[in-house]
Amino acid sequence: MTLDRDGQSGHIVSRLANFFRHLSKPGHFMLYLTRKVGDSVVIDDNIEVTVVEVRGKTVKLGFTFPEDVQVLRRELYDRIQEENRSAAASADLVRQLGQVTNAVADNMKNSPDADKDDGKD
């Protein structure tokens, strides 16, 4: 391990962690690993990621995980999240329109003109 000027290896780890922190989501870290074909990484005692094949710039990964765990490609996950946000916004709009419709109907029922006969038969 390379030591910094003060001979403190922990300082190097801290500096590296701070350097890579900006590459991940707030409150999360991104771990960089070098693995060979057949090597695995275990996540949270129940998910295993294995390097299956490497071809040029493409890496094929295998995932072993429990049935109740959902694993999605990032682009699919992002699309689902966007559709969920859109659906939630639409549901909110429908709810608001329902409230307006109910308020208009209540106003029409309570209007002084509501009981008048318009003379048409």
Side-chain angles (χ1 to χ4, degrees), residues 20-31 74 77-78 81:
F20 289 118
R21 185 185 313 252
H22 76 279
L23 299 174
S24 59
K25 298 188 316 186
H28 294 79
F29 285 97
M30 184 176 292
L31 176 64
R74 168 55 75 179
Y77 174 82
D78 289 343
Q81 293 300 309

Side-chain angles (χ1 to χ4, degrees), residues 25 70 72-82:
K25 298 188 316 186
Q70 186 177 45
L72 298 170
R73 295 184 331 260
R74 168 55 75 179
E75 62 274 14
L76 181 57
Y77 174 82
D78 289 343
R79 188 169 25 160
I80 290 169
Q81 293 300 309
E82 181 55 37

Side-chain angles (χ1 to χ4, degrees), residues 7 10 15 17-18 22 25 33 36 45 54 58-59 65 67 75 83 88 90 96 102 104 116 119:
R15 285 176 34 202
N18 287 332
H22 76 279
K25 298 188 316 186
L33 299 173
K36 297 176 185 172
D45 291 330
V54 178
T58 303
V59 177
F65 54 93
E67 290 181 17
E75 62 274 14
E83 288 175 5
S90 295
Q96 290 174 1
N102 290 339
V104 169
K116 288 187 181 176

Side-chain angles (χ1 to χ4, degrees), residues 30-47:
M30 184 176 292
L31 176 64
Y32 292 85
L33 299 173
T34 301
R35 303 280 81 198
K36 297 176 185 172
V37 172
D39 287 351
S40 297
V41 175
V42 177
I43 302 169
D44 214 17
D45 291 330
N46 62 352
I47 300 171

Side-chain angles (χ1 to χ4, degrees), residues 83-120:
E83 288 175 5
N84 287 345
R85 283 189 291 274
S86 180
S90 295
D92 191 43
L93 181 60
V94 168
R95 182 185 57 75
Q96 290 174 1
L97 287 173
Q99 290 174 343
V100 169
T101 302
N102 290 339
V104 169
D106 288 345
N107 270 345
M108 291 178 72
K109 286 180 190 175
N110 297 331
S111 167
D113 296 335
D115 295 332
K116 288 187 181 176
D117 187 0
D118 63 0
K120 297 180 185 175

